[in-house]
Amino acid sequence: DPAAAVVAIDPRDGAVRAMYGGKNFAVSKVNLATGDGGSGRQAGSAFKPFTLATAIEQGYSLNSRWHGPSSITIPDPACYTDGAPWELSNAADEESGDFTLLSATTYSVNTVFAQVASAVTPEAIRQTATRMGIRSPLEPVCSITLGTQAVTPLEMTNAYATLAARGWRHRASPLERVDTADGKTDLQIGGRGKLVVRQNDADLVTYALQSVIT
């Protein structure tokens, strides 16, 4: 410990250009990048863009305003945890106040994203994440927005590549093509892909995520 994994994907065609899944296969036969031989990991706040994409698809503006207290109780029955209303807090007390959806993304405000998850529904978030490239099974619960469920670096990179490709999803593959023994191409990998998020919606999510860095 600690352990790490890296995946690099070309958003234009889904080509896996680099992948690191562990340092010693003889010691651990778990590929941390793909989850093979083990399980995935919680994505944490890296999963919030799927909630953001869902909200934008449903017509919420990046300038829409939300109150994000340091802690909150979500009364929505769909968000109940162990039969009681969902209670959660922000990572830091200073992350509280009134936010636009854009600034709530910039500062990764849990209490705002919990409200957004309730508003857009966890099932819609699950569907968005699956469309964009998440292949692990996801439960449609409100905490999905906080990245509490196991996913892999490979599928997270694939889903983020969909944003970079302005809404076009390409299935990640380490192969460019498969040729037969006589030199003919039997299978061509890549192609145009599939448009799974409207271009403008994807661009708005990318714009919001740029604010996290700047």
Side-chain angles (χ1 to χ4, degrees):
D1 291 331
V6 171
V7 178
I9 289 177
D10 188 332
R12 295 170 297 182
D13 57 9
V16 177
R17 297 301 184 186
M19 183 173 71
Y20 175 84
K23 63 182 180 180
N24 192 331
F25 187 72
V27 174
S28 173
K29 292 178 173 54
V30 176
N31 186 327
L32 296 174
T34 66
D36 290 322
S39 60
R41 298 290 189 273
Q42 293 181 340
S45 290
F47 211 85
K48 285 175 180 169
F50 304 122
T51 302
L52 179 61
T54 306
I56 290 174
E57 286 184 331
Q58 292 189 15
Y60 286 91
S61 167
L62 288 177
N63 293 321
S64 61
R65 301 198 66 83
W66 303 77
H67 181 60
S70 58
S71 60
I72 196 171
T73 299
I74 304 295
D76 183 355
C79 297
Y80 273 26
T81 303
D82 298 325
W86 186 28
E87 298 180 352
L88 69 149
S89 59
N90 293 326
D93 288 340
E94 60 267 22
E95 294 174 357
S96 62
D98 292 324
F99 298 87
T100 62
L101 189 53
L102 174 61
S103 62
T105 302
T106 306
Y107 297 103
S108 191
V109 183
N110 290 345
T111 55
V112 169
F113 271 84
Q115 295 174 72
V116 177
S118 172
V120 303
T121 76
E123 173 58 25
I125 298 170
R126 185 195 68 79
Q127 291 180 16
T128 299
T130 300
R131 270 190 286 122
M132 291 176 61
I134 299 299
R135 306 184 75 173
S136 293
L138 299 171
E139 292 294 326
V141 294
C142 287
S143 62
I144 190 174
T145 191
L146 303 183
T148 56
Q149 300 181 50
V151 292
T152 70
L154 177 60
E155 59 190 342
M156 284 292 289
T157 308
N158 200 176
Y160 268 63
T162 299
L163 292 174
R166 307 187 74 185
W168 287 89
R169 187 197 69 212
H170 299 85
R171 289 296 187 190
S173 175
L175 304 176
E176 181 177 339
R177 67 178 185 270
V178 178
D179 293 341
T180 59
D182 59 4
K184 294 181 179 179
T185 298
D186 183 58
L187 178 64
Q188 187 76 38
I189 308 299
R192 192 179 182 190
K194 182 179 181 180
L195 185 64
V196 297
V197 179
R198 288 189 297 266
Q199 186 177 104
N200 189 65
D201 293 344
D203 288 348
L204 286 171
V205 176
T206 296
Y207 170 76
L209 292 179
Q210 287 173 336
S211 73
V212 178
I213 305 302
T214 58

